[in-house]
Amino acid sequence: MLHQAAPAKINLFLHAGAQREDGYHELESLVVFTGIGDDLTFDNAGEAADALSLDIAGPFAAALKNEPDNLVLRAARALGGHGGARITLTKNLPVASGIGGGSADAAATLRGLMQLWKLTVPPQALHDIALSLGSDVPVCLASAPAWMTGRGEHIQAVNLNVNTAMVLANPGMSVSTAQVFANLDDRTGMGAINPDRIRSTDELCEYLKDTRNDLEAPARELAPVIGDVLDALSKSGALLARMSGSGATCFGIYEDDAAANKAASVISKAQPNWWVKPTNIASSLPSA
């Protein structure tokens, strides 16, 4: 049995540009991954030569039970049907919450099945497969700090090895990415400077102060509670509080693990129905 982690993806900032002819928007984002996420296992023992099965467990499994074509199975089929596999997804992350859970699951499926089936896929071909599954899937393949542009197809590694403490908070709701983009009016546009290297949490916050998430305003129009989440993070001592992706999950950056753990405890007690987790920025994907 093989194991793959699918870490939560965080957009530390996200700037939007013009809508492209293909319907997507030009984006610019500094992306990191955290120490928490979904988990997948892969096993082909006892499976028919070409049979694929998916079992879903975990605290957010129910949100996917009626999904007609899970992204995990789509990723498996996209590799070309090289064998059978029994896949188990432990869904620890809220669904449709702006932290790339489905994209991370798809990327983990590609990594896991290539290992299980002993496949060698050229990097460009793997990138193209990932992009066909979703704009965030390519950056989730490495699950390491990255500078992402285009609609997600252009990725550069960033030297951001600071183990920064964070708290992730979601008010228990999903927000439609399509609706958020439909309501997008104010766009920062392209032109932010790739930091290339960040050496401390203070340096990271200093860089981020001149950036923002352009999707935050339209997301808050659809879900005003996002403002409550951001306020809770700020009041709990966050050095910076911001929404990730198209929401509704928000993150706070803290001075250290003790401050993040304390903040998560305080927010959880005040809002027991929210999903609140302390974590850290991970510099690389955990070993399978």
Side-chain angles (χ1 to χ4, degrees):
M1 181 178 293
L2 299 175
H3 169 267
Q4 285 286 333
K9 174 218 60 144
I10 304 297
N11 298 93
L12 292 178
F13 83 86
L14 196 160
H15 293 168
Q19 188 171 16
R20 308 184 336 181
E21 290 184 1
D22 61 6
Y24 292 100
H25 289 75
E26 286 291 330
L27 300 175
E28 191 173 61
S29 184
L30 179 58
V31 177
V32 296
F33 294 82
T34 75
I36 60 174
D38 295 337
D39 288 287
L40 292 93
T41 60
F42 306 86
D43 188 6
N44 56 7
E47 289 293 308
D50 58 353
L52 290 169
S53 66
L54 174 64
D55 295 318
I56 306 176
F60 292 98
L64 297 178
K65 67 179 181 180
N66 294 321
E67 195 171 60
D69 191 20
N70 188 280
L71 196 53
V72 167
L73 291 176
R74 286 173 53 198
R77 291 195 295 269
L79 280 177
H82 291 273
R86 182 170 64 248
I87 306 170
T88 300
L89 165 63
T90 302
K91 194 66 186 169
N92 299 314
L93 300 176
V95 175
S97 62
I99 52 177
S103 296
D105 296 342
T109 300
L110 295 176
R111 295 192 306 267
L113 291 180
M114 284 193 300
Q115 187 176 353
L116 183 72
W117 294 338
K118 297 179 172 57
L119 296 179
T120 300
V121 181
Q124 186 59 52
L126 181 61
H127 174 91
D128 292 345
I129 290 171
L131 188 62
S132 73
L133 295 166
S135 295
D136 282 337
V137 180
V139 78
C140 290
L141 281 173
S143 290
W147 181 261
M148 186 175 74
T149 57
R151 74 169 177 97
E153 69 267 39
H154 304 304
I155 301 163
Q156 293 176 273
V158 174
N159 186 354
L160 198 161
N161 188 10
V162 294
N163 195 37
T164 294
M166 307 181 81
V167 172
L168 306 184
N170 182 283
M173 66 179 304
S174 60
V175 179
S176 165
T177 299
Q179 284 186 303
V180 169
F181 273 103
N183 290 359
L184 177 62
D185 291 322
D186 188 14
R187 305 161 193 252
T188 300
M190 306 298 96
I193 298 173
N194 182 341
D196 186 47
R197 183 181 182 189
I198 291 178
R199 292 161 290 191
S200 69
T201 295
D202 287 343
E203 199 172 288
L204 176 61
C205 289
E206 178 67 20
Y207 169 78
L208 290 174
K209 74 178 185 180
D210 294 324
T211 67
R212 66 175 188 164
N213 184 345
D214 287 350
L215 303 185
E216 188 176 302
R220 288 178 67 162
E221 290 179 9
L222 295 168
V225 69
I226 291 172
D228 298 333
V229 178
L230 292 167
D231 287 344
L233 291 166
S234 296
K235 291 176 181 177
S236 72
L239 303 174
L240 179 144
R242 187 168 287 173
M243 189 185 80
S244 178
S246 58
T249 302
C250 300
F251 65 90
I253 293 176
Y254 292 82
E255 184 176 357
D256 53 31
D257 289 347
N261 289 334
K262 180 179 179 181
S265 177
V266 168
I267 296 171
S268 293
K269 288 178 181 177
Q271 299 289 348
N273 294 322
W274 290 5
W275 178 81
V276 182
K277 296 291 182 182
T279 186
N280 296 85
I281 293 176
S283 60
S284 61
L285 183 67
S287 299

Coordinates of all heavy atoms in Angstrom, one line a residue, residues 80 99 111 175 180 189 225 246 282:
G80 N -4.3 7.2 -18.2 CA -4.4 6.3 -19.3 C -4.7 4.9 -19.1 O -4.6 4.0 -19.9
I99 N -8.7 26.4 -0.5 CA -7.4 25.9 -0.1 C -7.0 24.7 -1.0 O -6.1 23.9 -0.5 CB -7.3 25.6 1.4 CG1 -8.4 24.7 1.9 CG2 -7.3 26.9 2.2 CD1 -8.3 24.3 3.3
R111 N 0.6 11.4 -8.5 CA 1.9 10.9 -7.9 C 1.8 9.5 -7.5 O 2.7 8.7 -7.7 CB 2.3 11.8 -6.8 CG 2.6 13.3 -7.1 CD 3.3 14.0 -6.0 NE 2.6 13.9 -4.7 CZ 1.7 14.8 -4.3 NH1 1.4 15.9 -5.1 NH2 1.0 14.7 -3.2
V175 N -17.9 28.7 -1.1 CA -18.3 29.8 -1.9 C -18.0 29.4 -3.4 O -17.0 28.7 -3.6 CB -17.4 31.0 -1.6 CG1 -17.7 32.2 -2.5 CG2 -17.6 31.4 -0.1
V180 N -17.7 34.1 -7.6 CA -16.8 35.1 -7.1 C -16.2 35.9 -8.3 O -16.1 37.1 -8.3 CB -15.7 34.5 -6.3 CG1 -14.5 35.4 -6.0 CG2 -16.3 34.0 -4.9
G189 N -4.3 43.6 -11.2 CA -3.5 43.4 -12.4 C -2.2 42.7 -12.1 O -1.8 42.4 -11.0
V225 N -19.8 36.6 6.2 CA -19.2 36.0 7.4 C -17.7 35.9 7.2 O -17.0 35.8 8.2 CB -19.8 34.6 7.7 CG1 -19.4 33.6 6.6 CG2 -19.4 34.0 9.0
S246 N -10.5 31.6 -3.6 CA -11.8 32.2 -3.7 C -12.7 32.1 -2.5 O -13.9 32.4 -2.5 CB -12.6 31.6 -4.9 OG -12.7 30.2 -4.8
A282 N 4.9 24.6 4.9 CA 5.8 23.5 4.7 C 6.7 23.9 3.5 O 6.3 24.4 2.5 CB 5.1 22.2 4.3

